[in-house]
Amino acid sequence: MSNTLLLLTVTVLSDYTDALYLVLLHPHAGNKVARRLSEEGCQVAAWNRNISKTEALSAAGISVHQSAQAAAQQSDVLVLMLSDADAIKDVLLGADQPVDLQGKVVVQMGTIGPKESCDIASQIEAAGAQYLEAPVLGSQPEASKGTLLIMVGSETKPQDSKAWSVLTKLGKEPVHMGAVGTAAATKLALNQLIASLTVGFSTSLGLLQRNGADIDKFMDILRGSALYAPTFDKKLQRMLDRDYANPNFPTKHLLKDIRLFTSEAEKVKLDTSLLQGLEAVIASTVDRGLAETDYSAVHEGVTEPQK
């Protein structure tokens, strides 16, 4: 689990008679989420294992908590944006300092496996809380604008949840996918496409570069075809310039997600040959010291394969 884990507690006044308190955790998009909710009229507080990571939030008028337990103590709704299932269990259910979940609503917004989500749901419910999964597609720019694509998995109608008004501040039209596990599976399916499309595009681009083909003409043809995906243009210049700084989504997280997808695919007996190739390219990229860079850095793994 990251040592720069961010936890935010958000107080939101809504149609409910009691204030809603929410906790969000995420080392990258968390600051953007905090600012978005604050701009939407929420009272926001933050906690980070590294207190320096919350200095910008403090300067923006957002209060900082000294511990996760203190932040969650008065909370009705806990919204989690953690890196993986182990991090969720450690923070909420850890034996050392578990969070009191009795009577709370836990909204899990990170990327985890569907079976992991179902397992966490059982533990959360056993602790006396309600559980929703609500993973998102999008990163820092979308979080800032409140345009995250939110997928919801719930055993009950999520629109009736005390957390729904907060979800709609982060994404305009959250989609109820079905029971717990379905939204987690949807998020993994989308992230697998991120890896496949990016590595696939990089491979085509690499072949063009090695053969001296006109990239602009290639892109004109591609944009006019059914093969085009907007992410190609978003990553093209980065790959051409080999500039992977200031990531919205780092390569190490893409590696984590493709490994998680592969694990889930194996459980349901899907062929994982292609996934293993994707993992090898992304892992090679991370091994070059590019873990914290934008995931378009996979172009290095594609064009300069390690011997």
Side-chain angles (χ1 to χ4, degrees):
M1 182 168 53
S2 170
N3 289 326
T4 60
L5 190 65
L6 177 68
L7 179 144
L8 311 170
T9 301
V10 186
T11 304
V12 184
L13 297 179
S14 73
D15 293 337
Y16 292 86
T17 55
D18 296 326
L20 305 184
Y21 301 85
L22 301 101
V23 181
L24 303 96
L25 308 93
H26 197 281
H28 290 277
N31 278 11
K32 301 296 185 182
V33 169
R35 289 178 179 274
R36 168 68 183 177
L37 292 174
S38 180
E39 290 167 0
E40 289 294 302
C42 305
Q43 298 175 28
V44 182
W47 167 79
N48 195 298
R49 293 176 185 232
N50 182 344
I51 195 67
S52 65
K53 299 294 183 179
T54 58
E55 289 177 355
L57 295 179
S58 180
I62 296 172
S63 61
V64 176
H65 279 269
Q66 295 301 311
S67 72
Q69 291 72 26
Q73 187 174 13
Q74 302 299 320
S75 304
D76 292 329
V77 181
L78 311 182
V79 181
L80 310 178
M81 298 182 73
L82 282 162
S83 59
D84 55 38
D86 288 340
I88 295 169
K89 293 177 183 178
D90 182 62
V91 171
L92 286 191
L93 305 165
D96 293 337
Q97 289 183 306
V99 173
D100 182 6
L101 299 176
Q102 185 66 42
K104 301 182 187 299
V105 179
V106 175
V107 182
Q108 197 298 108
M109 299 188 79
T111 303
I112 63 176
K115 297 187 186 306
E116 291 177 325
S117 188
C118 290
D119 176 59
I120 290 172
S122 296
Q123 295 183 60
I124 294 295
E125 290 164 2
Q130 179 188 4
Y131 179 85
L132 302 177
E133 60 181 13
V136 305
L137 187 66
S139 190
Q140 297 182 53
E142 292 79 16
S144 294
K145 295 182 289 185
T147 58
L148 291 168
L149 300 178
I150 304 176
M151 301 142 270
V152 183
S154 172
E155 304 302 328
T156 58
K157 186 179 179 181
Q159 291 86 346
D160 294 335
S161 169
K162 292 184 288 186
W164 188 255
S165 64
V166 175
L167 294 180
T168 57
K169 287 178 173 57
L170 300 176
K172 297 303 181 186
E173 298 181 3
V175 179
H176 186 200
M177 300 303 300
V180 171
T182 58
T186 303
K187 168 60 172 171
L188 272 185
L190 291 166
N191 278 24
Q192 187 277 139
L193 284 174
I194 294 174
S196 296
L197 289 171
T198 307
V199 172
F201 178 68
S202 170
T203 304
S204 292
L205 183 61
L207 184 67
L208 295 170
Q209 290 175 313
R210 294 289 162 83
N211 286 276
D214 190 307
I215 304 300
D216 289 336
K217 291 179 180 178
F218 166 74
M219 291 303 299
D220 286 342
I221 294 169
L222 180 59
R223 292 185 190 106
S225 76
L227 301 175
Y228 178 72
T231 188
F232 298 156
D233 269 312
K234 290 182 178 179
K235 299 305 177 183
L236 173 62
Q237 200 60 49
R238 279 184 176 273
M239 291 180 180
L240 292 176
D241 295 342
R242 296 185 182 276
D243 179 5
Y244 315 118
N246 303 314
N248 290 327
F249 187 69
T251 308
K252 66 178 182 180
H253 286 174
L254 187 64
L255 179 59
K256 184 268 292 184
D257 289 350
I258 203 66
R259 285 173 170 168
L260 179 56
F261 187 96
T262 301
S263 174
E264 293 295 329
E266 289 172 343
K267 291 175 185 177
V268 295
K269 303 187 184 306
L270 297 178
D271 185 278
T272 59
S273 302
L274 175 60
L275 297 170
Q276 291 166 14
L278 289 173
E279 179 182 338
V281 170
I282 301 169
S284 172
T285 304
V286 168
D287 290 343
R288 298 161 195 262
L290 298 171
E292 300 290 347
T293 63
D294 185 84
Y295 66 88
S296 55
V298 297
H299 195 53
E300 300 300 313
V302 169
T303 59
E304 302 293 338
Q306 293 176 328
K307 305 296 184 182

